[in-house]
Amino acid sequence: MTYDTTPRITLRGDAARYAGLTEQILEAVLDAAEADEFLLKSRVARFESALTDALGAVHAVGCASTTGAVLLALNALGCGPADEVVVPAWAPDALFSAVVRAGARPVLVDVSTEHGAPDAADLAGVTGPATRAILLGPAGTAEVRARLHEAALRLGVPVVEIGGPEPRPARAAGVTTVLPLGPDDLLGGIGDAAAVVTDDDAVARGCRMFRNHGQDPQVRFVHHHVGFNCRMDESVAAFLLRRLPELEARSTRMRQLTDRYTRALRNAGADLVVLGPGPCLSPRGGLTVRTALRDQVRARLAARGVESAVPPFRPAGDRGMPDAFPGARRLMEEALALPLHPGLAPEDVDLIAATVAECHAGLRETR
């Protein structure tokens, strides 16, 4: 006898998110093919313009991936072999690889176990004359990010962050935001993609050149830099243009679900901390919590048909420095991603929160 072990409540809700979109996907692909435009042409330009309008930004530079977008931003800021870039000790490997590919040296800073991002007060101790940029991953609430931006501004160091779709008419000075646009992200594209969002003319111009092998944005085959191929596909841009009007509603829905989770988990116990979905509001990362009962919680959720995951962040402790970054080490051992996506039903949030609370109630009873 075999049993169906497919979760009823999935982490990202991918199947439900793309149900009914077949015609839109085919239309986007056929539109680009019939126009004989496949890379970095009119649909990409229209999407960039529409995205700047939606976010209240000056520039949006479409590119092929989130990792590539981070590298573009670092290149545009002039990062090179003599430079250092501050990176959270608990972050995706892609951030570290982007810094190394830019030729700079990553300088690690520990993270808070209360929100998963560095504390603003710790930035001064890891920056110096060689610091070219501070790189922030997807962790940290809007309030935490604001404090980090203020600290970086005082230090005179620009920030590159994996950020979210929040409209920011008064954008933080010196901050370049990378907005993920892949299939697992908020809009849900049909291929890997991202955008660099900035109000800095020089950063935008640099990103536009570096994404196309260092080529001048206006004059073909005139190359100012050694760049690489990080161009956005036309069919991807065409599909994202169709999805963009849903951005505000999807963002609102994710915030509502996060608030519901937070209220439901509030009484789960002192051993559980809601780290939040971060500014990306992305289904990719789910709602991240810290719990000393991670294995027990995962097992009980799985028994009820709920998918969960350990965030794929390796702390600096796995890079040969086991005692230098206790916050990162603890999050590696206790962080857990719970389902969070725009299609998640409120009653599913309540079920998940109740299951987590049961585990913590059992721990309190044994004390």
Side-chain angles (χ1 to χ4, degrees), residues 68 168 197 207 236 260 282 296 343 345:
R168 284 162 52 188
V197 181
C207 288
V236 170
R260 190 180 185 102
S282 174
Q296 296 96 310

Side-chain angles (χ1 to χ4, degrees), residues 28-338:
V29 175
L30 288 172
D31 180 37
E34 290 172 354
D36 195 24
E37 292 187 339
F38 296 98
L39 287 170
L40 213 59
K41 294 293 192 299
S42 62
R43 288 151 197 80
V44 173
R46 293 204 305 272
F47 174 69
E48 290 174 340
S49 178
L51 187 60
T52 58
D53 290 343
L55 300 182
V58 177
H59 302 284
V61 181
C63 50
S65 70
T66 301
T67 306
V70 173
L71 180 55
L72 290 177
L74 294 176
N75 286 157
L77 288 170
C79 289
D83 299 317
E84 296 177 348
V85 176
V86 176
V87 186
W90 187 67
D93 278 339
L95 298 191
F96 297 90
S97 64
V99 173
V100 173
R101 289 287 300 231
R105 185 174 75 89
V107 174
L108 304 177
V109 59
D110 202 11
V111 297
S112 167
T113 58
E114 298 302 308
H115 51 68
D119 281 324
D122 292 337
L123 293 183
V126 292
T127 54
T131 306
R132 178 68 69 166
I134 296 169
L135 183 55
L136 299 177
T141 63
E143 292 77 14
V144 169
R145 290 299 182 103
R147 292 195 293 270
L148 288 165
H149 295 164
E150 292 169 1
L153 184 62
R154 288 194 298 271
L155 294 167
V157 180
V159 171
V160 177
E161 64 177 8
I162 309 296
E166 299 297 333
R168 284 162 52 188
R171 303 183 67 79
V175 176
T176 296
T177 300
V178 171
L179 179 62
L181 296 168
D184 291 336
D185 296 306
L186 186 60
L187 275 180
I190 55 171
D192 208 358
V196 179
V197 181
T198 180
D199 290 349
D200 189 307
D201 295 343
V203 170
R205 178 175 172 80
C207 288
R208 294 187 190 282
M209 286 191 286
F210 280 110
R211 72 175 172 180
N212 196 18
H213 300 288
Q215 189 171 210
D216 189 281
Q218 280 76 45
V219 184
R220 293 191 71 187
F221 309 122
V222 175
H223 295 261
H224 301 285
H225 303 281
V226 177
F228 59 104
N229 177 13
C230 194
R231 297 171 292 186
M232 179 179 278
D233 290 350
E234 283 285 295
S235 58
V236 170
F239 183 75
L240 288 171
L241 270 168
R242 289 165 166 79
R243 302 286 278 173
L244 191 56
E246 302 175 21
L247 181 61
E248 184 175 354
R250 296 173 78 83
S251 300
T252 298
R253 174 67 172 169
M254 291 287 277
R255 285 193 294 269
Q256 290 171 343
L257 290 170
T258 300
D259 291 344
R260 190 180 185 102
Y261 254 127
T262 302
R263 290 194 301 270
L265 290 168
R266 190 167 293 153
N267 296 322
D271 293 297
L272 183 138
V273 174
V274 179
L275 300 175
C280 293
L281 294 175
S282 174
R284 181 194 301 250
L287 181 94
T288 306
V289 300
R290 174 174 61 78
T291 170
L293 303 177
R294 185 170 69 183
D295 291 345
Q296 296 96 310
V297 170
R298 291 200 73 191
R300 189 166 297 196
L301 287 171
R304 295 184 178 178
V306 179
E307 183 182 19
S308 62
V310 175
F313 296 176
R314 288 195 305 131
D318 276 11
R319 297 176 172 85
M321 293 168 281
D323 301 320
F325 304 98
R329 169 60 61 183
R330 185 172 183 187
L331 290 182
M332 181 188 180
E333 295 170 349
E334 298 185 359
L336 177 65
L338 303 175

